[in-house]
Amino acid sequence: EIVLTQSPDFQSVTPKEKVTITCRASQSIGSSLHWYQQKPDQSPKLLIKYASQSFSGVPSRFSGRGSGTEFTLTINSLEAEDAATYYCHQSSSLPWTFGQGTKVEIK
Amino acid sequence: EVQLVDSGGGLVQPGGSLRLSCAASGFTFSDYSMNWVRQAPGKGLEWISYISSSSSTIYYADSVKGRFTISRDNAKESLYLQMNSLRAEDTAVHYCARDTVIYLWGQGTLVTVSS
């Protein structure tokens, strides 16, 4: 099973700041890494697919990069509505796995 | 509207059974593989089962293998999860989720296993 480890677990950020979340895979997964945003009492929503491809309708301040075992999600100029938990997810091999989540709080 | 609607959750005693359903609409259900993903209260996401578009390929997480059965009815545009021998640790919101990259999620249905 491929283990995904996110860092940090929690981040408290001022609006307009830049946020970077890292996801490390226990083995190479190529670019089969996706990012989701989940707000309280809501279903997750896809932000980035295949490491760096933005999903339709997602604000341009969200971007992803990486390949192999190290990936990053960047939120440029954080907005209040971005308060949420962010998860990475690998679809390189079954069982699909998720990172433990990174909670982003707005100061 | 493109959507997935989960149903069937509830309170069940340890060792009991429950059948979850997911109704799809707004897209050609038979074109897509489907998954069940769950989230225990206050915890992260856990993938538990996958079924291909034609039902020819099925996978389970070790945590549910031998107890849960995934199925689908493309004519009824529905996905199912038969859950047997339920344990306290199965308590979670269960989401149906479309495709390998999860473009679409159901709203989730809560399964609570408790005596």
Side-chain angles (χ1 to χ4, degrees), chain B residues 30-87:
Chain B
S30 58
D31 284 348
Y32 294 90
S33 62
M34 298 292 296
N35 302 271
W36 287 99
V37 177
R38 69 184 181 183
Q39 186 170 35
K43 302 296 184 182
L45 300 167
E46 179 190 16
W47 169 85
I48 57 173
S49 189
Y50 163 95
I51 186 167
S52 63
S53 57
S54 64
S55 303
S56 59
T57 303
I58 287 174
Y59 296 108
Y60 298 99
D62 287 345
S63 58
V64 306
K65 198 175 296 181
R67 301 187 299 123
F68 290 10
T69 302
I70 191 171
S71 62
R72 64 190 295 162
D73 185 331
N74 286 343
K76 293 183 178 179
E77 299 188 309
S78 293
L79 176 72
Y80 306 102
L81 187 68
Q82 178 66 42
M83 311 167 72
N84 298 331
S85 303
L86 282 161
R87 307 166 179 167

Side-chain angles (χ1 to χ4, degrees), chain B residues 12 19 25 27 33 49-50 72 92 107 114:
Chain B
V12 62
R19 190 194 196 207
S25 59
F27 63 96
S33 62
S49 189
Y50 163 95
R72 64 190 295 162
Q107 87 286 3
S114 174

Side-chain angles (χ1 to χ4, degrees), chain B residues 8-21:
Chain B
L11 175 63
V12 62
Q13 292 188 339
S17 297
L18 214 53
R19 190 194 196 207
L20 305 184
S21 298

Side-chain angles (χ1 to χ4, degrees), chain A residues 36 38 43-44 55 89 94 96, chain B residues 35 39 59 100 102-103 105-106:
Chain A
Y36 303 88
Q38 186 180 33
S43 304
F55 183 51
H89 159 228
L94 283 157
W96 310 146
Chain B
N35 302 271
Q39 186 170 35
Y59 296 108
T100 299
I102 304 174
Y103 296 91
W105 299 72

